[in-house]
Amino acid sequence: MSGKASSSSQPSIGLSGSGALSHIYIQYPPLRCSIPESRGLHYDDGTKLLIPSTSNQIFSWKTVPFNPLATSTSDSIPEGPILSIRFSLDTKLIAIQRSSSEIQFWIRETSEAFSHRCRSDSENILGFFWTDCPLCDFVVVKNSGLDLFAYDSVAKSLDLVEMRKLNVCWYVYTHESRLVLLASGMQCRTFTGFQLSSAGIVRLPKFDMAMAKPEANSKPVLAAEDVYIVTVYGRIYCLQVDRVAMLLHSYRFYRDAVVQQGSLPIYSRKIAVSVVDNVLLVHQIDAKVVILYDIFADSRAPISAPLPLQSRGFPRSYSSSSRSSGKDGECSEVNNKIDHEGIIYGDNWTFIVPDLICDAIAASSSETPSVLEFLQRRKLEAIKAKQLCLGIARTVILERRPVSMVSKAIDVLVSSYSLSLKTGSYFKGIKTESTSSGVAKTSVARSSTDVSTSRIDGTSIRHESTAGVDSEYPSRASTFSASESEENASSAPLRTDSRDLQLGGGKVDRVNLTGAHSSGPTDNPVFVNISEQQDSELTSPAISPDEMYKFVFAAVEEEMVGDPSYLVSIIVEFLCSTNMEKIKVHPNLYVLAIQLLARNERYAELESFVTNKILEPSKEVALQLLESGRQNIQTRKLGLEMLRQLSLHHDYVSLLVQDGRYNEALRYARKYQVTTVRPALFLQAACSSNNSQHLAAVLRFFSDFIPDFRTTSDFTTYYGILNEMNTSVAATSF
Amino acid sequence: MGLASASTATDGMQLCIFDLRRGQNEGQELDKILFFFPADLPFSTQLSVIGLSEGLITFTRIFSPEAACEIIEAERHSHVFYEAETDIWMVMADFPVGKKLQLPSFRDCLKERGTVQMLTMGREAAIEVQSLVSVLDSCAGNSSCYSMILFHDLLVSTTLSPDDTINLFTYAVLRLSPNALSSGVNSWSYIRRGSTSSHFVSGSALTHSGPVSEQIYHSSDTSPVGNNINRVTRALQHGKWYKGKDGFLVTDIWGVDVGSLVCATPTVWLQQTEEAMYLCPYQFKSLTLILLIPVSSILNGEQGVALVKQQLLENASLKILKVEEKLSKGWGGENAYHVSGYRYLLVDGDRNISRASPPGKVTTLAKESLLALSKLRDEVDLEKSRAKRDNAGCEKDLEVSIRAKNNAWAIARITGGKELYMVLEKASETLLYASDAVEKFSNRYCNGAFSLD
């Protein structure tokens, strides 16, 4: 179920319409599991195991991390019908539903079994799942409500902890969200939700889903396959297909409310929904295309044009072939990657809680800043998202797109970086001090972020992804900056006392948090994805100013032809962004700006750049000013002045001497006790002026300034020269 | 500085600028007057002053065709001549009623190009400004515009060459800045108390002087205000600019466009690039933006200019708002650059930038202090010209301190192309005390540029 995203290197324009283009690829080769006499195929989203079964054997394949060559483990179990299989979260137990009233538990270690039955005959088991909720380990959903059990490993039995009585027609549950939605009512459109997170059980307010009527008096009934729970950026949504209205309604869950968010049009009688790397994929099965939405943004517009799903690496000739002979009929539950290879959206596809990886072809979208925003939110394959971002940044500059547009794009990158500093996801490869410098600047305006992160800091969370229900409704602004915090919130349990935390000392919490980060990535509780992709080096596609300089500005500068003032404008926009986010810029960027301005002979402007400290003073900047000052004396002066103001005494004095201003240099050397410049330099300069008085003055100065100077060879040499000068002067004057 | 100090002496002092090429035909004599002070003198008097000057120039040219007269000292009058550009003369005429003027070199005053006063701003504001500048300069698509931004009467940014900057800055402060617009007189109005704006207008505003033969005006392109229309453009007229509804400043000085019946957009001639540019000033609160669009880049005249203006409003409005807000926030008011206890003038000769105590504070100086300052300047000018003669290219460091009769200190320090003049009326004790005060000032406000090492 886990494909790998790859930043498509596929050219998008030339191939469009050829059918070879796709946004979404199924990982190829697929995981093949051929089990003779297989009776059924199950998927357990709690343990992410793929489970084919025969009458007395259970095989399980790990799907995360994805490896097409993964081998299965098998358990022999008592023979009997298998309706459903779920492994306990620690995979020590296997729960097997045998009938509508019986669940059998298989203890793998000891090969023991025990059973659980419904109390009354009128009760029907609709389903069950394992949970990491502290109250219970196992939940059974029946038509009469929820039964919560704790597993007693000593007695090897289930103890009833709690019962929630209510009528249930059917239910949906995902382990990722820890949310179970129970449908009730005539139309099955009234829902009660429970979240069984590590903080306990939260009951969500009852709500109705919208359903259009085909005609008066007819009341369609909502089916379980039309409701999807999805987790995007740590927020939990429910998506509901309204077949009459041809709409996909979305609802977002908050702690104390369920709010309808709007609807997406659908173009197929049959659709399926999956989420890959926080991107919502709506498979329009009849049309055999998939449409991508980034529902983080307010816009309901798809990210890209609808394109078919394809198999990556699969020979194309097959992919377009029509159905193969349907002899795989025994696969009653078929996963989209075990299916007959080559057939996309085959009739017998079942979409199970999927982790497909999407592959966004950035170039096919025209709105660069939003593409960058999108890419910066990617967590899987961050390195590719990052390279893509760098590539886009270079391209828009090289293509000389309007400054305002490039500026927006840069804003996105810089604020994303700033955010990654604050949340610490940029910690890899960045020095500790720069991380802490980002931390110090936490603003009060981001207090909502602080709240969520501080919670995580307080409670240590060992589980991977639990989507928390967001309590910040309704003030949550859907800004980009919030994305990280929501991500964090996703690993936080539901809050019990979130009110107290509002606005409270965000700064301090943040510092603590960073402290935790520096301890290392592996035991870092904040980043849900880390545990799943330790092999990947980067956790964030954020781009530091240094990288911006190296991979964008410096790279672009080499390729750019013509008037460099465009690049200067872009650099200014970059400085604007970094200044807003209080991020330090590498002096090399300033050096580049100076070179560009000097190349255009815009010395007056260069001067105002320096005097207004748009280019912050540093030794590098000063030296470049001196270098560029070879063509322009004013610029050279600026460089000298900067050296003086930076108290780089040695360099300053040496340069004064170079300019022949050795009197000034001497005064300065005396004032600041600069002893590192060799007297010979001064003497040489004074000597070349051919003025005996000057030479005498310099000699005199060093005799006073440096003890024992009179014993040095410098003194003897130049004293001799001075005497010669004097005699020659005397000679000519007579 | 030259003009300001010259005009303080009103008795019998006249200053005129005229164009020898103009007004050669009978009945068109007035055309040659570009500027006259005092403007309320009758034209006949103005013309006779100019006539005399013309005569003197013509006469002396007989002996020295390349360089005509510089100074004529006669018993009843003295004339100081300066040919600012070919055939454009600045003449200062002095008819002493009682005493002669005591001013350092008249001619140097005329030669002086003036300086620019800059706004000091923080890094953040400076970056915002720079961002705005890039929008302005790319307003007209591919052809690059130039721009200048002022806040009140202070320069914020410029993309023009230093020479063009001074010219346009001076013009902007005198005619375009919010101050100039609201008062109708120039921002040095404190000097000219008593003269109302109406005098200036009636004195120098001349109506169209009828059809003029072309051959005379062909050459007018070389004047700083070049244009090809056969009429005399009097760009210096007062009270002729006003703010339109769209925020752009308009004037009818350059006439009315025949096609569209709107005021013709003024054009200016840039010395650096030798290019004629449309002058489009835009004002938002205390912010004045001057956009210069190459005439050659606009094909359909006023319509094209209007299009670029539209572009500017569309692309830059938000940024203008932001910059104005930032600058206003950091703005210390009229007396922002006052340093209590000091009366100072800071000149950066390399960059033609100056900063001085605010006028209101300078006028509190005692007469004796001013005399001492005048003497000090005399000394400095002398020393500077000597240094220039001795070794061109090498900058000289210099310090002069003069004790005035009222025990005030007038001090000048010159180093690395920068000049600091200062009057300390209360530092009466010792030279050491005065010198300390200068040192403090230098460290605090000039990055230590004038500190003695």
Side-chain angles (χ1 to χ4, degrees):
Chain A
M1 242 113 300
S2 162
K4 291 288 171 195
S6 71
S7 54
S8 80
S9 48
Q10 212 155 359
S12 61
I13 298 137
L15 287 172
S16 63
S18 71
L21 187 66
S22 181
H23 293 301
I24 313 293
Y25 295 93
I26 296 174
Q27 183 68 36
Y28 185 92
L31 179 65
R32 289 169 218 252
C33 37
S34 58
I35 305 295
E37 297 165 44
S38 149
R39 290 267 184 90
L41 184 62
H42 309 268
Y43 176 72
D44 179 17
D45 70 331
T47 51
K48 297 196 161 49
L49 290 174
L50 188 66
I51 314 163
S53 62
T54 63
S55 59
N56 63 353
Q57 251 194 327
I58 292 175
F59 300 85
S60 58
W61 265 273
K62 266 194 186 159
T63 59
V64 173
F66 177 72
N67 175 11
L69 304 172
T71 52
S72 65
T73 51
S74 70
D75 294 89
S76 294
I77 53 163
E79 199 161 328
I82 298 174
L83 301 183
S84 172
I85 302 173
R86 278 188 188 268
F87 280 59
S88 68
L89 298 180
D90 58 8
T91 65
K92 286 182 176 163
L93 276 80
I94 306 172
I96 306 148
Q97 188 179 355
R98 296 295 193 179
S99 71
S100 64
S101 61
E102 189 196 349
I103 300 170
Q104 191 178 50
F105 292 85
W106 179 254
I107 305 167
R108 296 173 78 187
E109 225 171 24
T110 58
S111 297
E112 290 173 82
F114 65 92
S115 282
H116 169 81
R117 284 171 193 282
C118 289
R119 288 185 182 176
S120 81
D121 291 343
S122 60
E123 286 182 338
N124 259 335
I125 295 175
L126 301 174
F128 60 92
F129 51 88
W130 296 90
T131 164
D132 49 13
C133 169
L135 284 177
C136 56
D137 302 308
F138 191 73
V139 178
V140 179
V141 188
K142 300 179 299 183
N143 56 354
S144 59
L146 291 183
D147 283 352
L148 311 177
F149 297 96
Y151 170 63
D152 186 340
S153 56
V154 180
K156 299 192 168 96
S157 65
L158 288 183
D159 301 336
L160 184 66
V161 178
E162 205 177 323
M163 282 171 76
R164 299 271 179 154
K165 288 256 177 225
L166 70 163
N167 285 323
V168 181
C169 306
W170 46 261
Y171 81 103
V172 281
Y173 174 80
T174 65
H175 181 76
E176 189 187 23
S177 65
R178 311 289 202 269
L179 182 70
V180 57
L181 281 182
L182 308 170
S184 59
M186 288 284 284
Q187 287 180 273
C188 299
R189 64 187 198 98
T190 305
F191 284 85
T192 309
F194 293 95
Q195 193 187 33
L196 302 126
S197 73
S198 45
I201 301 172
V202 175
R203 185 189 175 127
L204 299 174
K206 205 178 231 188
F207 71 102
D208 282 349
M209 288 195 184
M211 284 187 86
K213 292 177 182 176
E215 58 210 45
N217 297 331
S218 100
K219 287 183 177 168
V221 177
L222 191 61
E225 54 265 33
D226 286 343
V227 174
Y228 304 88
I229 297 171
V230 295
T231 311
V232 177
Y233 299 115
R235 304 162 172 180
I236 303 174
Y237 294 86
C238 175
L239 300 175
Q240 171 226 345
V241 183
D242 187 336
R243 290 172 188 276
V244 176
M246 288 297 272
L247 285 174
L248 186 65
H249 301 299
S250 70
Y251 306 83
R252 181 163 169 206
F253 293 100
Y254 295 91
R255 184 185 165 76
D256 48 5
V258 179
V259 178
Q260 184 163 3
Q261 298 282 302
S263 307
L264 304 170
I266 54 176
Y267 308 99
S268 164
R269 298 292 300 168
K270 196 175 165 197
I271 70 151
V273 171
S274 47
V275 174
V276 177
D277 197 11
N278 292 321
V279 176
L280 181 69
L281 317 182
V282 181
H283 306 270
Q284 318 276 342
I285 293 175
D286 296 345
K288 294 202 193 300
V289 290
V290 56
I291 304 180
L292 278 67
Y293 296 94
D294 186 14
I295 53 177
F296 187 87
D298 272 337
S299 130
R300 301 267 154 245
I303 300 172
S304 61
L307 284 173
L309 186 71
Q310 288 192 355
S311 254
R312 171 169 299 283
F314 189 77
R316 250 201 80 210
S317 51
Y318 293 96
S319 69
S320 55
S321 74
S322 57
R323 305 199 45 182
S324 64
S325 58
K327 66 175 181 180
D328 315 77
E330 73 236 41
C331 290
S332 59
E333 208 176 3
V334 181
N335 178 345
N336 51 6
K337 69 180 179 224
I338 299 175
D339 194 13
H340 352 280
E341 293 156 22
I343 296 187
I344 304 295
Y345 294 129
D347 285 348
N348 40 11
W349 274 29
T350 300
F351 288 83
I352 53 182
V353 185
D355 282 338
L356 264 182
I357 301 296
C358 87
D359 187 353
I361 297 177
S364 69
S365 177
S366 49
E367 260 264 53
T368 308
S370 48
V371 171
L372 287 173
E373 258 182 35
F374 174 77
L375 286 171
Q376 287 287 305
R377 285 200 292 269
R378 296 309 102 210
K379 289 283 171 273
L380 301 171
E381 301 273 339
I383 182 102
K384 279 173 181 163
K386 182 172 182 163
Q387 277 163 357
L388 216 58
C389 286
L390 289 169
I392 292 171
R394 277 193 298 267
T395 310
V396 290
I397 297 174
L398 280 173
E399 287 175 356
R400 290 180 184 255
R401 305 282 278 273
V403 176
S404 56
M405 192 275 266
V406 181
S407 157
K408 267 184 217 147
I410 286 174
D411 263 353
V412 168
L413 296 180
V414 171
S415 54
S416 165
Y417 169 72
S418 160
L419 199 71
S420 77
L421 273 190
K422 284 170 189 154
T423 55
S425 61
Y426 192 79
F427 59 89
K428 279 198 178 183
I430 209 144
K431 285 174 233 138
T432 334
E433 58 260 41
S434 48
T435 312
S436 53
S437 79
V439 166
K441 279 141 200 160
T442 310
S443 66
V444 185
R446 295 247 165 82
S447 59
S448 63
T449 312
D450 297 344
V451 173
S452 46
T453 43
S454 65
R455 279 199 54 86
I456 296 162
D457 198 32
T459 56
S460 87
I461 296 147
R462 271 150 280 126
H463 319 289
E464 34 167 355
S465 160
T466 319
V469 176
D470 200 331
S471 77
E472 277 140 89
Y473 169 82
S475 62
R476 158 71 71 209
S478 87
T479 56
F480 178 73
S481 60
S483 80
E484 286 283 348
S485 67
E486 301 223 352
E487 199 82 16
N488 297 340
S490 73
S491 54
L494 267 172
R495 294 145 207 180
T496 46
D497 54 353
S498 58
R499 296 264 165 230
D500 314 354
L501 287 158
Q502 300 287 332
L503 293 169
K507 241 175 207 171
V508 182
D509 290 337
R510 191 60 65 80
V511 174
N512 294 341
L513 192 61
T514 318
H517 290 164
S518 52
S519 64
T522 43
D523 57 356
N524 186 326
V526 180
F527 300 100
V528 185
N529 288 314
I530 286 172
S531 58
E532 295 178 355
Q533 47 162 327
Q534 276 155 340
D535 50 335
S536 169
E537 275 180 28
L538 278 167
T539 56
S540 158
I543 297 168
S544 74
D546 287 11
E547 291 164 323
M548 277 298 274
Y549 165 74
K550 225 161 133 191
F551 299 118
V552 179
F553 293 112
V556 157
E557 195 263 334
E558 280 174 15
E559 284 183 58
M560 228 158 169
V561 280
D563 187 9
S565 54
Y566 174 79
L567 192 51
V568 174
S569 306
I570 302 297
I571 291 176
V572 168
E573 295 302 320
F574 179 66
L575 295 179
C576 212
S577 302
T578 50
N579 184 58
M580 294 282 266
E581 299 284 351
K582 306 268 181 295
I583 294 172
K584 261 197 92 57
V585 174
H586 196 277
N588 280 344
L589 186 66
Y590 297 140
V591 169
L592 176 63
I594 297 170
Q595 290 167 345
L596 292 172
L597 285 166
R599 197 179 305 165
N600 251 15
E601 297 187 355
R602 288 161 66 186
Y603 293 112
E605 280 170 82
L606 173 54
E607 185 144 355
S608 87
F609 270 74
V610 173
T611 49
N612 287 319
K613 298 205 163 54
I614 294 177
L615 311 176
E616 291 168 304
S618 67
K619 187 170 181 179
E620 289 93 330
V621 169
L623 293 180
Q624 181 58 47
L625 286 171
L626 290 165
E627 173 65 33
S628 299
R630 288 166 193 268
Q631 279 77 45
N632 180 281
I633 182 74
Q634 285 317 309
T635 308
R636 187 177 165 79
K637 275 189 183 176
L638 283 175
L640 261 177
E641 184 71 1
M642 190 174 285
L643 284 180
R644 190 172 64 79
Q645 285 175 34
L646 290 169
S647 299
L648 295 165
H649 302 312
H650 174 86
D651 302 83
Y652 182 64
V653 169
S654 315
L655 280 157
L656 282 181
V657 178
Q658 244 179 59
D659 286 3
R661 292 157 71 184
Y662 45 88
N663 281 333
E664 233 179 305
L666 287 178
R667 280 206 304 265
Y668 189 90
R670 186 177 56 204
K671 188 173 178 183
Y672 294 100
Q673 293 296 315
V674 186
T675 51
T676 48
V677 183
R678 285 181 299 117
L681 275 178
F682 293 86
L683 291 163
Q684 179 63 44
C687 193
S688 60
S689 74
N690 222 9
N691 183 327
S692 63
Q693 281 182 11
H694 284 187
L695 183 57
V698 173
L699 272 175
R700 178 60 203 255
F701 173 86
F702 281 109
S703 306
D704 292 349
F705 188 57
I706 303 174
D708 306 330
F709 177 68
R710 282 171 186 277
T711 60
T712 63
S713 60
D714 281 344
F715 179 80
T716 343
T717 317
Y718 286 97
Y719 191 68
I721 295 174
L722 179 64
N723 278 337
E724 261 172 49
M725 272 180 172
N726 283 337
T727 45
S728 65
V729 168
T732 48
S733 59
F734 278 109
Chain B
M1 234 181 68
L3 275 176
S5 39
S7 44
T8 45
T10 45
D11 292 335
M13 210 284 292
Q14 283 137 18
L15 176 69
C16 56
I17 304 174
F18 55 89
D19 187 343
L20 277 182
R21 291 161 304 184
R22 295 189 182 191
Q24 294 299 318
N25 295 351
E26 209 169 309
Q28 295 170 5
E29 288 89 351
L30 284 181
D31 284 359
K32 70 178 69 166
I33 310 175
L34 298 178
F35 178 83
F36 203 95
F37 174 84
D40 49 355
L41 276 190
F43 287 133
S44 55
T45 317
Q46 292 187 19
L47 283 175
S48 85
V49 171
I50 289 173
L52 178 56
S53 304
E54 257 191 279
L56 288 168
I57 292 165
T58 318
F59 178 68
T60 49
R61 265 194 177 154
I62 299 170
F63 309 101
S64 167
E66 288 308 307
C69 54
E70 291 185 357
I71 297 172
I72 305 271
E73 292 265 12
E75 202 180 340
R76 306 280 301 276
H77 64 90
S78 55
H79 274 73
V80 183
F81 297 86
Y82 176 61
E83 191 175 15
E85 289 175 31
T86 315
D87 284 332
I88 293 182
W89 285 83
M90 294 170 75
V91 177
M92 196 192 276
D94 181 29
F95 303 94
V97 181
K99 51 193 186 296
K100 279 200 103 181
L101 282 175
Q102 284 286 324
L103 274 178
S105 170
F106 276 126
R107 217 174 113 76
D108 284 348
C109 289
L110 291 181
K111 267 196 216 166
E112 232 160 62
R113 302 298 302 275
T115 50
V116 166
Q117 283 82 52
M118 300 278 300
L119 180 77
T120 301
M121 54 191 161
R123 177 169 192 255
E124 193 172 325
I127 294 175
E128 291 288 352
V129 166
Q130 207 52 52
S131 171
L132 172 60
V133 166
S134 63
V135 174
L136 294 181
D137 287 5
S138 58
C139 245
N142 287 330
S143 51
S144 64
C145 301
Y146 291 93
S147 70
M148 180 184 276
I149 303 177
L150 286 87
F151 186 70
H152 290 279
D153 286 345
L154 300 171
L155 183 71
V156 174
S157 102
T158 174
T159 53
L160 292 168
S161 71
D163 276 354
D164 289 321
T165 296
I166 291 175
N167 291 340
L168 192 60
F169 173 80
T170 311
Y171 185 74
V173 167
L174 291 173
R175 298 293 180 267
L176 303 176
S177 73
N179 261 348
L181 282 187
S182 64
S183 63
V185 294
N186 73 39
S187 65
W188 291 335
S189 54
Y190 60 92
I191 298 166
R192 304 197 179 183
R193 253 174 244 134
S195 319
T196 62
S197 58
S198 60
H199 277 110
F200 284 98
V201 175
S202 62
S204 53
L206 298 173
T207 46
H208 295 229
S209 39
V212 194
S213 61
E214 279 203 66
Q215 65 261 34
I216 297 168
Y217 292 105
H218 263 314
S219 52
S220 69
D221 281 4
T222 50
S223 72
V225 178
N227 81 33
N228 292 313
I229 304 165
N230 295 336
R231 53 183 292 278
V232 181
T233 301
R234 299 189 178 281
L236 295 178
Q237 288 174 80
H238 285 274
K240 284 288 187 178
W241 284 89
Y242 54 93
K243 192 168 158 181
K245 271 186 197 142
D246 55 359
F248 282 96
L249 305 184
V250 283
T251 179
D252 57 4
I253 297 178
W254 272 262
V256 172
D257 185 61
V258 190
S260 52
L261 289 175
V262 292
C263 290
T265 305
T267 52
V268 294
W269 181 259
L270 292 186
Q271 299 187 325
Q272 172 85 9
T273 56
E274 304 202 315
E275 215 179 346
M277 310 290 275
Y278 284 114
L279 175 75
C280 302
Y282 174 84
Q283 211 156 70
F284 175 69
K285 294 188 183 169
S286 306
L287 202 65
T288 308
L289 316 177
I290 300 171
L291 182 66
L292 297 167
I293 313 161
V295 171
S296 58
S297 73
I298 304 280
L299 297 174
N300 44 352
E302 290 306 324
Q303 256 183 319
V305 175
L307 217 68
V308 177
K309 283 181 173 179
Q310 187 66 32
Q311 282 276 305
L312 183 141
L313 290 180
E314 273 170 26
N315 298 341
S317 287
L318 261 178
K319 285 201 191 266
I320 293 171
L321 225 78
K322 217 164 159 189
V323 166
E324 203 280 337
E325 195 185 293
K326 282 255 155 65
L327 295 183
S328 294
K329 222 185 259 173
W331 171 235
E334 248 178 76
N335 285 343
Y337 302 131
H338 174 55
V339 182
S340 69
Y342 294 89
R343 300 294 179 269
Y344 68 92
L345 168 67
L346 200 59
V347 183
D348 186 337
D350 297 331
R351 302 159 63 197
N352 293 314
I353 289 173
S354 71
R355 171 165 297 172
S357 297
K361 300 287 177 183
V362 174
T363 47
T364 65
L365 283 179
K367 195 177 171 187
E368 288 87 355
S369 309
L370 291 172
L371 276 172
L373 190 62
S374 168
K375 190 136 181 265
L376 178 81
R377 181 165 178 204
D378 221 0
E379 291 289 327
V380 171
D381 282 352
L382 203 69
E383 195 59 43
K384 267 160 67 180
S385 58
R386 193 179 300 155
K388 210 181 274 172
R389 242 196 340 267
D390 286 355
N391 52 342
C394 190
E395 282 161 341
K396 190 156 177 131
D397 287 2
L398 181 69
E399 182 176 17
V400 184
S401 303
I402 292 180
R403 176 85 153 175
K405 277 183 187 147
N406 61 343
N407 286 340
W409 286 102
I411 300 171
R413 272 193 195 175
I414 297 174
T415 181
K418 291 188 175 118
E419 303 171 20
L420 175 64
Y421 300 87
M422 192 168 269
V423 178
L424 300 165
E425 286 193 325
K426 284 178 186 134
S428 56
E429 294 308 314
T430 58
L431 179 58
L432 191 67
Y433 182 93
S435 185
D436 267 2
V438 176
E439 196 84 1
K440 258 187 214 155
F441 183 92
S442 157
N443 285 333
R444 185 94 196 267
Y445 301 101
C446 318
N447 290 320
F450 297 98
S451 303
L452 293 176
D453 296 316

